[in-house]
Amino acid sequence: MASVIGLVAVARNEAWSLVARMADGRFLALLAVSVLTNVGGLLLGMLSWRAVLDDLGPSIGLFGTARIFFCGLLGKFLPTPVFGLLAHVQLGAEYGATAGRMITTYVVSLGITMLTACLAALGIAPAVLGGNSWWLALPLLVLLCFVVRPGLIGAAVEHGARLFRRPPPTGRVSARAVRVSLGLALLSWFSAGLHLWVIVLALDGPAARSLPAAVGGFALATVAGTLTIVLPDGLGAREMVLVLSLSTVLPVTTAGAAAIVSRLVCTLAELGTAGVMILVTRSRRATPPIAARTTTDPLGGKTDVVPQPRS
């Protein structure tokens, strides 16, 4: 809360000029483009997640994937990621996906998302973190290992299952699925980061110099927000990192205004996309299959019926 108050205090000098600009057609047009680029990042993120999910079992179809992913996305607005995971498990069961499959997908995708975010943040990290940016080399080394030897992801998940005394997953993510997911995740960071760059342009920031600051800064800020699990969607923590990143190319007050607008754009894009996807997929829920097979839940207990894929 203190960080949010501080951010508002930093940006207060830009408040009236920002309100005045919102009446300008150019600003509104750029704001719409910003929302669309962020939506593009969300859709690419969903496809990255789907690459892992479909590799671990029968495809549940594009509509099923969208419904599970975006319902789970709403969990980020609560102060713990557990709610998003629970939504994935519960909704996945409607499409015959076992709890073990959904949890494995969640863990593997989260790892891929965080690792690719560190790669996207590499360009701006030295300016923001200074001498402490060396730690980004660690996740980048892990990312490189996963690109060369994708099977290490499955081994890491199995080790984590043993560590928490849970049965290991029944299957591993294939090398192709890992590489496809990594590529889509990188594209999603670039698309999502472009929304911040468009905001900077709307605030008359430098076009060329602000691009790496926006894309890398947004990725770094999202990592910081994700690690701050006690705050809903990293509220405050993410904005402070954005201000630090953008202040390398903008005045601090303008950077603060851009961070606030970014939060509004991201919230609008996430809630709007999730709402549309949930409405579109309501009539396409999984139905009991004519022919089904059972799979063993690696977390122990039930066997789930796998319905015919729906698209």
Side-chain angles (χ1 to χ4, degrees):
M1 181 59 69
S3 59
V4 175
I5 295 173
L7 178 63
V8 173
V10 167
R12 70 183 186 279
N13 294 332
E14 291 286 324
W16 290 113
S17 62
L18 187 61
V19 171
R21 290 185 189 190
M22 285 185 176
D24 180 38
R26 174 180 174 273
F27 185 93
L28 291 176
L30 288 173
L31 207 60
V33 172
S34 179
V35 172
L36 291 176
T37 58
N38 195 261
V39 170
L42 292 173
L43 295 176
L44 286 166
M46 180 197 72
L47 293 177
S48 173
W49 180 82
R50 184 192 186 192
V52 177
L53 177 68
D54 284 358
D55 191 67
L56 291 171
S59 174
I60 62 176
L62 183 59
F63 285 101
T65 299
R67 182 164 176 260
I68 296 171
F69 180 83
F70 284 104
C71 284
L73 182 70
L74 297 177
K76 69 186 293 185
F77 295 102
L78 299 172
T80 172
V82 173
F83 295 101
L85 176 58
L86 291 176
H88 281 189
V89 171
Q90 183 172 351
L91 291 170
E94 295 184 13
Y95 293 87
T98 64
R101 179 183 172 191
M102 299 309 301
I103 292 173
T104 301
T105 301
Y106 182 89
V107 172
V108 172
S109 296
L110 179 61
I112 288 174
T113 299
M114 296 291 281
L115 291 172
T116 51
C118 290
L119 179 59
L122 195 59
I124 192 62
V128 177
L129 302 175
N132 294 322
S133 59
W134 61 267
W135 65 266
L136 281 179
L138 300 178
L140 289 178
L141 286 174
V142 175
L143 177 63
L144 181 61
C145 289
F146 287 162
V147 171
V148 177
R149 296 285 301 276
L152 292 174
I153 287 186
V157 173
E158 290 174 2
H159 179 73
R162 288 194 299 269
L163 185 64
F164 290 99
R165 298 180 179 180
R166 305 300 304 176
T170 55
R172 286 191 178 187
V173 185
S174 69
R176 180 183 178 278
V178 169
R179 290 177 179 135
V180 168
S181 182
L182 285 169
L184 289 169
L186 279 172
L187 288 175
S188 74
W189 282 120
F190 182 74
S191 180
L194 280 179
H195 95 273
L196 185 59
W197 182 61
V198 174
I199 291 172
V200 171
L201 294 182
L203 295 174
D204 300 325
R209 290 174 52 222
S210 62
L211 180 58
V215 174
F218 182 72
L220 187 63
T222 304
V223 170
T226 302
L227 295 177
T228 314
I229 59 175
V230 296
L231 299 174
D233 198 20
L235 182 63
R238 192 173 86 178
E239 280 69 31
M240 295 309 294
V241 175
L242 282 183
V243 171
L244 289 173
S245 301
L246 295 179
S247 62
T248 61
V249 294
L250 293 173
V252 175
T253 53
T254 306
I260 292 174
V261 175
S262 173
R263 170 63 72 174
L264 295 175
V265 165
C266 288
T267 302
L268 177 62
E270 289 160 358
L271 292 179
T273 306
V276 170
M277 289 297 179
I278 291 170
L279 287 175
V280 168
T281 58
R282 279 186 64 185
S283 60
R284 294 177 176 267
R285 294 187 180 186
T287 56
I290 299 174
R293 63 182 181 85
T294 59
T295 58
T296 302
D297 188 339
L299 292 190
K302 299 179 179 179
T303 57
D304 291 339
V305 175
V306 180
Q308 299 295 326
R310 296 175 63 89
S311 59

